[in-house]
Amino acid sequence: MAPTIRRIAVAAAFLAMAAVPAALAQAPAPAATPSGPPNVTAILEKAGQYTTFIRLMKSTQQDTQLNSQLNNSFNGNGYTVFAPTDNAFNNLKPGTLNSLTQQQQVSLVQGHVLPQFYTFDSFETASNPVRTQASGRDGPYTLNITANTNNQLNVSTGVVDVTVNNALSAVKPLAVYSVDKVLLPFELFGAKAPAAAPTASEGKPKKGGSSAAASGPAGSDDSAPTGAASARAVGWSIAGLAAVLGYLL
Ligand SMILES: *[C@@H]1O[C@H](CO)[C@@H](O)[C@H](O)[C@H]1NC(C)=O
Ligand SMILES: *[C@@H]1O[C@H](CO)[C@@H](O)[C@H](O)[C@H]1NC(C)=O
Ligand SMILES: *[C@@H]1O[C@H](CO)[C@@H](O)[C@H](O)[C@H]1NC(C)=O
Ligand SMILES: *[C@@H]1O[C@H](CO)[C@@H](O)[C@H](O)[C@H]1NC(C)=O
């Protein structure tokens, strides 16, 4: 049994590594220092034109959260961030951000983050709908992502559609793609979204950096999926299992 598991883990690691060169061909040189973990804030600062998203990540503590997750070797799947430009935020209806509670702003930011590293090419292996980091508190928050024939991605929340063609960085464990629209989650802005703020999780302690694993694909946020959410989680579970096996061996 152990050799089989090892083979699975090795195969998973090989597949993950095999995906990297394709991304390197498309992505500019990584903005992060080669030593140490990648720093999403530094990548966005270097690229410029992401000041609103940086500010929103700071005010929701998602910058330190993500950076600490990136510095946690247990999170072997890596992360993908869709970073809206300042223009994207300027094009929102006035007051859109201010109409959100703090918790909803956290969900908005996390709705731009996938708990998995994707190159342009490896998005083809993603099965829609793809769960974002915002999933778990009040159900799954998802994106539909499809590669189109021009080597671009179409990303849809169900409320917002955007085409992605610019990688700011795509070096495992962190891929950052520029988007020129804010990915307003269907769960907050769709027709049936409740007007009231989700408050169920407010008693849940948010420990910022130290609770990195809690938001990972195998974390407690995914522990009680039901029905369709459970089916959606299968893809993540397989990837998570491979990562865990790889970690244990
Ligand atoms: C990430 O980069 C930002 C901006 O350069 C910096 O302020 C912050 O301290 C860095 N965080 C880590 C964990 O290195
Ligand atoms: C990454 O984690 C290690 C071990 O916990 C720690 O010593 C180091 O300072 C961290 N690096 C950053 C940039 O946060
Ligand atoms: C991607 O989006 C563009 C623009 O909205 C659309 O014309 C095209 O059909 C979409 N392609 C796919 C594969 O969804
Ligand atoms: C996302 O993809 C799933 C599966 O293909 C589909 O059932 C669903 O309608 C799509 N949602 C949107 C908003 O495109």
Side-chain angles (χ1 to χ4, degrees), residues 88-195:
F89 281 99
N90 289 339
N91 289 334
L92 287 177
K93 221 166 65 184
T96 302
L97 288 186
N98 287 340
S99 73
L100 300 176
T101 64
Q102 175 75 8
Q103 184 56 53
Q104 287 171 328
Q105 290 186 10
V106 170
S107 296
L108 176 67
V109 172
Q110 292 182 337
H112 289 75
V113 180
L114 308 177
Q116 169 97 13
F117 170 80
Y118 284 107
T119 63
F120 263 107
D121 291 340
S122 66
F123 273 113
E124 282 169 22
T125 66
S127 66
N128 288 318
V130 177
R131 288 166 70 95
T132 71
Q133 282 288 81
S135 301
R137 293 177 177 80
D138 47 346
Y141 279 61
T142 62
L143 298 174
N144 276 10
I145 304 168
T146 49
N148 70 28
T149 45
N150 295 330
N151 205 21
Q152 301 168 324
L153 302 171
N154 283 16
V155 178
S156 176
T157 68
V159 179
V160 172
D161 299 317
V162 70
T163 299
V164 178
N165 48 33
N166 182 17
L168 301 180
S169 173
V171 179
K172 210 176 184 197
L174 176 65
V176 183
Y177 298 100
S178 181
V179 287
D180 57 17
K181 289 183 190 170
V182 179
L183 301 178
L184 300 177
F186 182 84
E187 294 74 9
L188 294 180
F189 293 90
K192 285 181 5 187

